[in-house]
Amino acid sequence: MSAPNSSERKACWDSRDLLWKCLDDNGDKAESCLKFQGEFESNCPAQWVKYFSKRRDYLKYKAKMETEGFKPAEGPKQPS
């Protein structure tokens, strides 16, 4: 498999950006963005789709941690 050229990379990134915008606008409801998901998957190599999907999850988690902070789960109390 050869690396995508600059126009193929731009098409992939543009598709990713449109999908992410759709997901943001629709509260991450994937069923609302099936058209954009299909374009994203057809314009990007499969490994890139996997990477960008994980990247989005990470960025959303990071933003949540920055705004809400870390809240440890309450477990059993340890004896003093």
Side-chain angles (χ1 to χ4, degrees):
M1 176 183 138
S2 63
N5 64 35
S6 64
S7 64
E8 292 168 334
R9 287 191 307 268
K10 182 174 180 352
C12 174
W13 295 332
D14 289 344
S15 296
R16 175 205 59 196
D17 293 344
L18 289 172
L19 172 61
W20 285 13
K21 181 177 182 343
C22 178
L23 290 170
D24 288 341
D25 292 346
N26 290 289
D28 283 331
K29 294 180 183 157
E31 61 275 359
S32 301
C33 303
L34 293 177
K35 174 187 168 210
F36 295 109
Q37 182 71 36
E39 290 175 8
F40 173 56
E41 291 175 1
S42 68
N43 286 331
C44 298
Q47 191 64 31
W48 287 27
V49 170
K50 183 178 175 183
Y51 169 79
F52 286 136
S53 297
K54 287 183 179 184
R55 177 85 176 147
R56 177 175 166 78
D57 291 342
Y58 167 74
L59 292 173
K60 291 185 75 60
Y61 175 77
K62 181 181 173 186
K64 181 179 178 184
M65 288 295 110
E66 289 173 348
T67 57
E68 298 176 17
F70 175 73
K71 296 176 187 159
E74 289 188 27
K77 303 277 185 198
Q78 297 295 324
S80 302

